[in-house]
Amino acid sequence: MGIAQPIVQTGHPVLRAEGRELTRDEIKSAEIQELIENMRESMRLAVGVGLAAPQIGESLKLAVIEDDAGEKTKLNQEQLNERERYPVPFHVLINPVLQPVGDEKVDFFEGCLSVHGFAARVARYRAVSVTALNEHGDEVSIKAHGWYARILQHEIDHLNGILYIDRMYSTTFTNVENKMRYWD
Ligand code: ZN
């Protein structure tokens, strides 16, 4: 079992650096395997659906994703359908490369564990394809649409030093309390 780490907050330079790629040998090392376990625990404790290594202070091209699309979302079925949000099991992305599929974008509120307590509307590609290595160093190729595509875009941005606040409609930026009061 991993040990949850504190989540780095915006303003820390590690969130603005491009992460370093990992070699297959590094991926198989005890250090990286332990880091992956720690990232899984950190994401679960923070109730996130994704976490990138820079968010726990490691400037590496490594992210974890897991979305049960269940109760923790506080969304009803209609809202889940609107977001095309369905469960995504735990998985690991290393050195990922993302390509949009088509030019359609969809616009929803999103937040970030590293911009704690805030949210804003962000337009994201509705569909993407991603190639990456998994935790064993094997190549994987992912086709995703809807909310999963949004998570992939958000997490892979982190590995390149980009936060959602760089892409948001800035007039929609709100704290969570006012989001519930005025926007939901
Ligand atoms: Zn984030």
Side-chain angles (χ1 to χ4, degrees), residues 50-52 55 110-115 154-155 158 162-164:
L51 188 74
Q55 294 183 274
E110 70 180 60
C112 176
L113 297 175
S114 294
V115 189
H154 180 115
E155 298 310 328
H158 271 300
I162 298 166
L163 300 176
Y164 83 84

Side-chain angles (χ1 to χ4, degrees), residues 15 124 152-164 167:
L15 294 174
R124 298 283 192 184
L152 286 164
Q153 288 166 85
H154 180 115
E155 298 310 328
I156 293 171
D157 270 355
H158 271 300
L159 306 184
N160 294 304
I162 298 166
L163 300 176
Y164 83 84
R167 302 193 187 277

